[in-house]
Amino acid sequence: MPRRDTILVHGATPFDAATGAVSVPIYQSATFRHPALGASTGFDYSRVDNPTRSELEKTVALLEGGKYGLAFASGMGAISALIKLFRPGDHIVVSEDLYGGTFRLFNEFYAHYGFLFSWVDTSDFSRVTAALRPETKAIFIETPSNPMMKVSDIRLCADLIHQRGGYLLVDNTFLSPYFQNPLAFGADFVVHSGTKYLAGHNDTVAGIIVHSCDAYDEPLRSIQRSEGATLSPFDAWLVIRGIKTLGVRMERQSANARRIAYYLKENPRVEKVFYTGFEDHPQYALSLAQARGHSGMVSFYLKDKADVPVILRNVKVFLFAESLGGVESLVTYPWEQTHNAIPESMRAAAGVTDRLVRLSIGIEDVDDLISDLDAAFSPNSTV
Ligand SMILES: *Cc1c(COP(=O)(O)O)cnc(C)c1O
């Protein structure tokens, strides 16, 4: 079995058997001719299955160490499909500090259909235990969390929920399979916004689920083909192409992020920096135990809220835009953007205040990124 860096480049199928093509073909076909009545090439209709999408699904499954992969039109499409494995009346414990769109999906949609959610700080394991109820069927964690970089213990959460026959669902978007494999620590389902590190170029939107539960392969495929929020062949190809450089991008993005985290720590306008690579991060030891790196994500509190618009307006290399994980460095204001859907009191309790800024560090020259921040902090200086 090839090692991770080789799988990244070659994927599940290193070349096209029919033509020798080194890049997986984009099978831009809605339907597939049947050889005879009752016979199939394995592909019938592209909502159900498509060869390009299938190659992506197998590749991400290999990278996560899972048996099955499923690709969706977005990360939200993937998360929504996963929640459909559960039933009204089921209770799910969820990280309180997570992607705002996931909060909205659970709280504004699934809650209305009778699903029960508890929002807790899952980086504090005692709170996870305390939140369990007789009807608890799953724990859904995002680790590291978005945007506060809290780290939850995958193994402890998995053991806890398995004792009652439930499932652990992990959103692994922030670290990607290059740095973290939740299935290896007992998670049952891993979900990705493939839009982020996997695709990596801010050029497409995608979602992936990986798991190894034989009993759930067919139910999940059925949800995927019945709902139809599947990834198109071209978008699947873009994600495959992105994955080829996932390793080199992650190494560069995490090295750049480390420099920027330390730069911010010394910046007098910054009150506090959230970065899992700091030795004084509350879950530093846990990060080292369950992940191989620290991604390119850094959040920080400004001392003065008035600095927020100044920075967002003045950055030139950083782009003021939502999303993360791509080669371009982005700056986001979670309070009004990614986490706007979360009620103010919950945002405040989770630490998402109006002085919080989130950076997704790209692969540019890190000195340009630091000078850009420096200039944005002091827009009136002549440098
Ligand atoms: C972006 C994101 C999502 C949603 O994914 P989309 O591809 O935008 O639908 C889910 N979880 C996390 C952690 C994200 O960053």
Side-chain angles (χ1 to χ4, degrees):
M1 169 92 172
R3 293 177 178 80
R4 196 174 61 244
D5 286 311
T6 308
I7 300 171
L8 288 173
V9 177
H10 288 238
T13 316
F15 61 92
D16 178 53
T19 63
V22 164
S23 170
V24 62
I26 303 168
Y27 287 90
Q28 193 65 48
S29 187
T31 189
F32 299 82
R33 175 185 169 268
H34 302 298
L37 188 63
S40 163
T41 60
F43 296 96
D44 304 311
Y45 186 66
S46 278
R47 170 159 44 73
V48 180
D49 208 353
N50 172 281
T52 314
R53 192 180 91 211
S54 171
E55 171 63 15
L56 171 66
E57 293 176 334
K58 288 180 186 149
T59 298
V60 183
L62 278 176
L63 291 170
E64 282 291 10
K67 278 170 84 171
Y68 308 107
L70 299 100
F72 295 83
S74 67
M76 295 319 303
I79 293 172
S80 183
L82 206 43
I83 297 305
K84 292 208 175 62
L85 289 177
F86 301 92
R87 291 288 168 264
D90 288 352
H91 173 244
I92 304 178
V93 177
V94 190
S95 298
E96 67 177 0
D97 160 32
L98 92 173
Y99 178 65
T102 308
F103 176 85
R104 181 173 47 221
L105 179 74
F106 291 176
N107 196 52
E108 290 183 19
F109 296 95
Y110 284 97
H112 292 169
Y113 292 103
F115 291 73
L116 306 166
F117 299 99
S118 290
W119 306 90
V120 303
D121 176 355
T122 53
S123 70
D124 178 349
F125 185 65
S126 65
R127 297 197 195 192
V128 183
T129 313
L132 294 185
R133 300 185 201 162
E135 62 276 23
T136 306
K137 292 285 164 38
I139 300 172
F140 183 105
I141 59 175
E142 205 178 274
T143 182
S145 67
N146 179 0
M148 304 308 292
M149 313 297 164
K150 290 180 180 171
V151 179
S152 300
D153 193 317
I154 301 171
R155 171 77 67 195
L156 286 182
C157 289
D159 289 350
L160 178 71
I161 195 70
H162 290 162
Q163 282 162 17
R164 26 176 76 227
Y167 300 94
L168 176 65
L169 287 42
V170 179
D171 184 331
N172 199 28
T173 299
F174 261 40
L175 284 173
S176 89
Y178 185 73
F179 278 146
Q180 177 168 274
N181 297 122
L183 299 180
F185 292 87
D188 301 286
F189 297 94
V190 172
V191 64
H192 283 279
S193 168
T195 315
K196 315 294 170 58
Y197 285 105
L198 286 171
H201 292 73
N202 289 321
D203 57 8
T204 189
V205 173
I208 316 265
I209 296 172
V210 175
H211 69 102
S212 295
C213 309
D214 294 333
Y216 285 108
D217 181 37
E218 183 42 38
L220 268 176
R221 300 246 172 239
S222 174
I223 295 167
Q224 187 191 33
R225 64 174 171 260
S226 304
E227 287 198 322
T230 51
L231 194 61
S232 78
F234 181 60
D235 290 313
W237 183 84
L238 281 173
V239 183
I240 292 168
R241 209 246 315 244
I243 288 173
K244 289 178 192 283
T245 55
L246 178 66
V248 289
R249 284 188 285 109
M250 287 306 281
E251 294 293 346
R252 171 68 169 246
Q253 285 173 275
S254 61
N256 281 358
R258 170 172 295 272
R259 280 273 310 276
I260 288 168
Y262 280 97
Y263 156 78
L264 289 169
K265 203 173 195 173
E266 299 301 317
N267 189 309
R269 311 276 274 274
V270 172
E271 183 180 289
K272 188 171 164 51
V273 182
F274 301 92
Y275 172 61
T276 60
F278 285 151
E279 284 176 27
D280 60 359
H281 183 283
Q283 294 98 30
Y284 182 69
L286 177 59
S287 283
L288 294 187
Q290 67 185 23
R292 295 177 290 270
H294 299 287
S295 96
M297 300 303 297
V298 182
S299 299
F300 58 96
Y301 284 145
L302 286 159
K303 285 182 181 150
D304 185 354
K305 185 188 158 192
D307 277 341
V308 173
V310 176
I311 291 170
L312 297 180
R313 189 172 58 241
N314 287 301
V315 282
K316 295 194 174 69
V317 182
F318 278 89
L319 302 174
F320 172 33
E322 282 162 82
S323 201
L324 63 104
V327 289
E328 295 90 0
S329 293
L330 303 182
V331 52
T332 306
Y333 185 42
W335 179 257
E336 281 189 10
Q337 294 181 295
T338 50
H339 290 67
N340 193 358
I342 302 177
E344 212 166 300
S345 60
M346 266 191 76
R347 268 184 279 169
V352 183
T353 72
D354 58 5
R355 288 184 295 121
L356 183 81
V357 174
R358 190 190 77 185
L359 303 178
S360 168
I361 308 301
I363 64 168
E364 300 93 336
D365 188 309
V366 69
D367 290 321
D368 284 340
L369 294 173
I370 290 175
S371 338
D372 191 43
L373 289 174
D374 234 15
F377 271 110
S378 14
N380 298 324
S381 76
T382 48
V383 284

